[in-house]
Amino acid sequence: MTAIQVKDNKKICSQTSTTFQLNDENYYSDQANWHFQSKSLFWNFMQCEAATLAQLKHEYQPFSNPTPLLFGNYLHSYFESKKAHERFIEANETSLYKYGKKEKGLKSDFKQAQKCIQTLEDEKRFRLLYQGQKEVIVKGNLFGVDWMGKIDCLDLKNKWFFDLKTVDDIHKKHWSKEENGYTNFAVSRGYDMQMAIYKELIKQTFGVECTPFIIAVSKQKVPDKAILSIPEWRMENRLDQIEELQPHIQRVKNGEEEPSYCGHCDYCRSHKIMNEITSIDDIELY
Ligand SMILES: [Zn+2]
């Protein structure tokens, strides 16, 4: 039994990932996040180590609008199963309906989610493709660290898997500091990294090499839709990036190294002290 040591020497965990049983109930728990690395956690560390560590240690809770998450879950649970969707609606009735009452009808955000669902439902190709096992938990080891993932739709027979993504506008451009130019929503949100990780974890869990596809649907008045593939070189680059950044991120997570401050997120701004003068020519641009 080992413990994960954090900065204030508080022992957060008392089990190793070999004794911790990852399942549907604890997948999104703190315990799972201490035992396993995941795309969202790693991605957050890449954006700001200090804010992510503080969040993991319950020292900081960023303000986040719950609607986009509910929107995503509304859609995901629908395509998972009828039962999952009913359970989701029942558990979130007060947030989904006007005045929290079913008889008053869905709030406009979720009417839109319903529209996105219908858009995909009307696509014969989508219905034929999206046939695998839903919400499959996968585990594996990437460069010496245990990772976890959850696959929206895994089809081992056809050797492919799908991830459903909702997006404001599939064709909107996003500034990328890394690429010093504009990029698309998928690269901007690190979905190429997510697909590279999932592909590897599926291989380690089931011994099958699968091809990833993103099913994107937009939240526009008339929803757009697309089946997107991910170039192999992008996934290779993302795995290289994980190999390069992971040792430090892991040491930060374990309290062995100090986290860096990105300097511009909510957490960093709230901890900033006005103790230096900056020339207007040196204002950092993001
Ligand atoms: Zn920050």
Side-chain angles (χ1 to χ4, degrees):
M1 300 275 252
T2 56
I4 291 171
Q5 212 77 21
V6 292
K7 221 171 122 193
D8 57 2
N9 290 326
K10 218 164 51 190
K11 287 188 170 86
I12 296 286
C13 299
S14 56
Q15 295 166 302
T16 63
S17 49
T18 47
T19 56
F20 175 72
Q21 291 300 318
L22 189 66
N23 56 41
D24 288 330
E25 275 72 48
N26 62 27
Y27 183 84
Y28 294 106
S29 69
D30 283 337
Q31 266 214 321
N33 281 330
W34 281 113
H35 284 296
F36 292 91
Q37 193 55 269
S38 68
K39 186 268 174 174
S40 57
L41 190 59
F42 195 83
W43 189 256
N44 289 347
F45 269 115
M46 279 171 65
Q47 312 312 309
C48 182
E49 295 174 5
T52 307
L53 186 66
Q55 213 180 322
L56 206 53
K57 288 162 72 179
H58 286 271
E59 292 168 357
Y60 166 65
Q61 188 54 52
F63 169 77
S64 68
N65 178 1
T67 305
L69 185 68
L70 283 170
F71 189 104
N73 289 346
Y74 190 96
L75 189 109
H76 273 84
S77 64
Y78 178 88
F79 289 109
E80 185 187 343
S81 68
K82 204 171 170 228
K83 212 171 165 191
H85 195 53
E86 280 168 5
R87 262 204 312 265
F88 168 78
I89 287 181
E90 211 177 297
N92 296 284
E93 226 174 72
T94 48
S95 312
L96 300 175
Y97 294 102
K98 285 180 201 159
Y99 310 103
K101 291 191 174 96
K102 206 167 186 168
E103 59 273 20
K104 299 277 181 196
L106 280 170
K107 286 182 184 169
S108 62
D109 280 309
F110 305 107
K111 272 190 196 155
Q112 179 66 39
Q114 201 58 53
K115 216 188 243 184
C116 292
I117 288 172
Q118 202 51 51
T119 300
L120 293 176
E121 277 285 20
D122 290 345
E123 282 294 325
K124 196 175 165 208
R125 173 65 65 86
F126 168 77
R127 290 201 312 272
L128 285 172
L129 282 174
Y130 205 75
Q131 290 296 337
Q133 211 188 328
K134 311 287 162 35
E135 303 289 328
V136 182
I137 291 176
V138 284
K139 290 184 293 186
N141 191 287
L142 301 183
F143 314 109
V145 172
D146 289 331
W147 281 70
M148 61 178 180
K150 209 177 209 187
I151 317 297
D152 283 350
C153 178
L154 174 61
D155 187 341
L156 290 170
K157 208 174 86 204
N158 288 304
K159 297 186 177 177
W160 57 46
F161 66 97
F162 301 97
D163 208 84
L164 281 175
K165 299 292 188 198
T166 55
V167 55
D168 294 341
D169 176 347
I170 292 171
H171 302 282
K172 198 165 105 179
K173 54 187 179 186
H174 298 257
W175 182 257
S176 160
K177 210 181 170 190
E178 238 175 341
E179 299 192 9
N180 196 29
Y182 287 108
T183 186
N184 58 62
F185 79 97
V187 173
S188 165
R189 294 186 191 170
Y191 293 158
D192 49 351
M193 177 182 275
Q194 189 184 359
M195 295 302 107
I197 294 163
Y198 284 7
K199 188 179 166 171
E200 187 54 38
L201 298 183
I202 291 169
K203 195 163 81 184
Q204 291 186 26
T205 308
F206 300 103
V208 183
E209 188 120 18
C210 291
T211 306
F213 294 100
I214 293 169
I215 308 280
V217 58
S218 82
K219 299 179 186 176
Q220 287 154 303
K221 209 184 272 175
V222 178
D224 197 359
K225 64 244 161 170
I227 303 172
L228 305 168
S229 65
I230 301 94
E232 206 56 50
W233 68 268
R234 280 204 181 271
M235 291 197 280
E236 278 166 22
N237 282 0
R238 288 303 200 181
L239 289 179
D240 289 346
Q241 200 177 16
I242 290 173
E243 187 175 17
E244 188 195 323
L245 302 176
Q246 180 164 263
H248 168 66
I249 287 180
Q250 213 53 29
R251 285 195 290 273
V252 168
K253 197 178 168 188
N254 293 341
E256 295 155 6
E257 260 173 43
E258 287 298 313
S260 63
Y261 290 72
C262 77
H264 61 96
C265 72
D266 286 351
Y267 179 79
C268 288
R269 281 201 304 274
S270 71
H271 285 75
K272 202 167 168 181
I273 300 162
M274 283 176 96
N275 59 357
E276 27 181 85
I277 295 166
T278 310
S279 158
I280 56 168
D281 287 339
D282 296 329
I283 295 174
E284 248 189 290
L285 303 176
Y286 298 112

